[in-house]
Amino acid sequence: DAGVTQSPTHLIKTRGQQVTLRCSPKSGHDTVSWYQQALGQGPQFIFQYYEEEERQRGNFPDRFSGHQFPNYSSELNVNALLLGDSALYLCASSLRQGDQETQYFGPGTRLLVL
Amino acid sequence: QKEVEQDPGPLSVPEGAIVSLNCTYSNSAFQYFMWYRQYSRKGPELLMYTYSSGNKEDGRFTAQVDKSSKYISLFIRDSQPSDSATYLCATDLFHSGNTGKLIFGQGTTLQVKP
């Protein structure tokens, strides 16, 4: 059973550019969440997608947007990149079972903005 | 004040030692707590989760929640070099029930020396 997969693994961009990161959830999972993890910090919640809709959003600007496809895979888009956007971007998938929704994380995409 | 506080360490112990990792949280309404392990350049891996106060044991790992002091702990018995990683505590973003949107601590880096 494949876990959460993300692509690409590494990416280098320059300030002002746009980037798209991709995530395939664990088999059977219908919810995808995105997190940003700066070096030496814990992950910070960006947003969550369920049934192709953004269900919840963290404290991130509109430059961060996303999409979920009918097969539950997801994309994270960041426009007008800033140096501070350099981080590990993590995708997590989950499936709600009762009152519980356990997150499974992918390996992440490491983004460097120069 | 951050919602979840965690001492970043690093914490270095000899093999076989008992390790205690701790977090505090600010909102008494949080009820669902998790511990994730993150190896270098990997995504977080769920170790344990627990609701409300009390202990939960899984092999060498014990998670403990003290709601009266808003304090959560992870104990590792008979620590091994393979336990060397960053340990992240997390709680759910929303106060009533688990929705899968997580708030993480900064993470504690643990090194177990042979």
Side-chain angles (χ1 to χ4, degrees):
Chain A
D1 176 27
V4 180
T5 59
Q6 292 185 244
S7 63
T9 55
H10 295 82
L11 203 52
I12 300 175
K13 292 286 187 178
T14 57
R15 279 179 299 175
Q17 285 189 312
Q18 178 264 344
V19 67
T20 297
L21 310 181
R22 295 175 176 82
C23 172
S24 291
K26 186 177 170 65
S27 178
H29 285 187
D30 58 4
T31 302
V32 173
S33 303
W34 287 92
Y35 292 80
Q36 180 195 65
Q37 186 177 24
L39 194 63
Q41 301 296 316
Q44 280 195 289
F45 175 75
I46 303 175
F47 43 52
Q48 183 180 80
Y49 277 84
Y50 173 71
E51 292 187 343
E52 302 180 51
E53 298 283 335
E54 183 181 292
R55 185 161 67 174
Q56 293 293 340
R57 189 178 183 92
N59 188 25
F60 278 80
D62 291 345
R63 298 187 297 109
F64 290 76
S65 63
H67 188 78
Q68 186 179 34
F69 299 94
N71 66 353
Y72 307 122
S73 67
S74 177
E75 288 182 349
L76 164 66
N77 301 292
V78 186
N79 295 322
L81 284 167
L82 304 174
L83 296 181
D85 294 331
S86 295
L88 180 68
Y89 288 85
L90 295 162
C91 170
S93 74
S94 56
L95 173 69
R96 191 163 193 85
Q97 294 178 304
D99 62 353
Q100 188 175 308
E101 189 166 345
T102 302
Q103 305 263 286
Y104 292 87
F105 283 84
T109 293
R110 192 164 297 277
L111 172 65
L112 178 61
V113 182
L114 300 176
Chain B
Q1 180 188 10
K2 290 184 178 181
E3 291 183 278
V4 179
E5 300 266 10
Q6 187 175 7
D7 185 340
L11 180 61
S12 181
V13 300
E15 183 175 354
I18 296 174
V19 177
S20 173
L21 303 167
N22 308 294
C23 290
T24 58
Y25 61 96
S26 58
N27 193 322
S28 58
F30 291 153
Q31 296 189 35
Y32 184 67
F33 304 96
M34 291 138 282
W35 283 96
Y36 281 84
R37 177 175 62 193
Q38 186 174 25
Y39 290 113
S40 180
R41 300 192 173 276
K42 301 288 186 183
E45 168 196 14
L46 180 66
L47 276 177
M48 300 183 70
Y49 63 88
T50 183
Y51 290 95
S52 201
S53 286
N55 293 355
K56 183 175 182 180
E57 189 173 319
D58 184 1
R60 296 185 296 112
F61 299 89
T62 300
Q64 186 176 78
V65 177
D66 182 347
K67 290 198 73 179
S68 63
S69 57
K70 290 183 275 188
Y71 199 79
I72 56 178
S73 301
L74 178 71
F75 299 96
I76 307 175
R77 290 183 298 280
D78 187 25
S79 56
Q80 303 295 311
S82 59
D83 295 328
S84 298
T86 296
Y87 290 80
L88 296 154
C89 61
T91 185
D92 199 271
L93 180 61
F94 290 89
H95 303 168
S96 56
N98 163 309
T99 61
K101 293 165 281 294
L102 306 178
I103 298 176
F104 283 88
Q106 184 176 354
T108 299
T109 300
L110 171 67
Q111 184 181 27
V112 181
K113 295 183 176 180

